Amino acid sequence: MEAALWYVLTGTRGGTNRARILRAIHDRPQNANRLAERLDLDYKTVRHHLDVLQDNGIVTVGGEDYGAVYLPSERVRQEWAVVERIFVTVAENDSGFDYAPNPN
């Protein structure tokens, strides 16, 4: 799982937006429309990134169609310390990703 996280969040085009989405749904599970509004991204862009995250087992979805709510997968929640290290790396490489590590 760690390799998939690093690849999807840092090794591919769009990784920063996927990191933003993952951070947002970790804070509060939400649907694609809400994510698009909150992150100021196009709805289709958000849906694409959610599909990539879901295809790699990083997020899961509850519900169907428009009301589907996304949240981090159980495996990702178990490895959240890895995700936070990745967020630090993303922030160091992309000034558009504002992240301060959890002090705990």
Side-chain angles (χ1 to χ4, degrees):
M1 175 54 66
E2 183 172 347
L5 285 164
W6 279 102
Y7 176 72
V8 170
L9 300 176
T10 67
T12 59
R13 188 169 177 234
T16 299
N17 280 332
R18 287 190 282 277
R20 292 176 65 210
I21 290 168
L22 183 58
R23 183 177 65 180
I25 63 173
H26 177 261
D27 293 343
R28 181 175 139 208
Q30 49 202 299
N31 67 26
N33 188 56
R34 176 60 107 138
L35 285 164
E37 290 172 0
R38 181 175 177 191
L39 301 175
D40 195 26
L41 294 171
D42 181 75
Y43 175 80
K44 288 182 181 181
T45 299
V46 169
R47 286 301 317 252
H48 166 75
H49 290 306
L50 286 168
D51 289 344
V52 170
L53 291 166
Q54 190 173 8
D55 290 348
N56 285 279
I58 296 170
V59 302
T60 59
V61 62
E64 296 179 16
D65 299 324
Y66 183 78
V69 175
Y70 295 85
L71 60 154
S73 69
E74 182 61 34
R75 285 187 67 195
V76 168
R77 282 185 267 144
Q78 291 173 356
E79 297 190 39
W80 196 254
V82 171
V83 174
E84 290 205 4
R85 287 197 312 270
I86 293 169
F87 286 169
V88 169
T89 300
V90 172
E92 290 171 351
N93 294 317
D94 188 330
S95 61
F97 186 76
D98 184 26
Y99 179 72
N102 186 344
N104 296 332

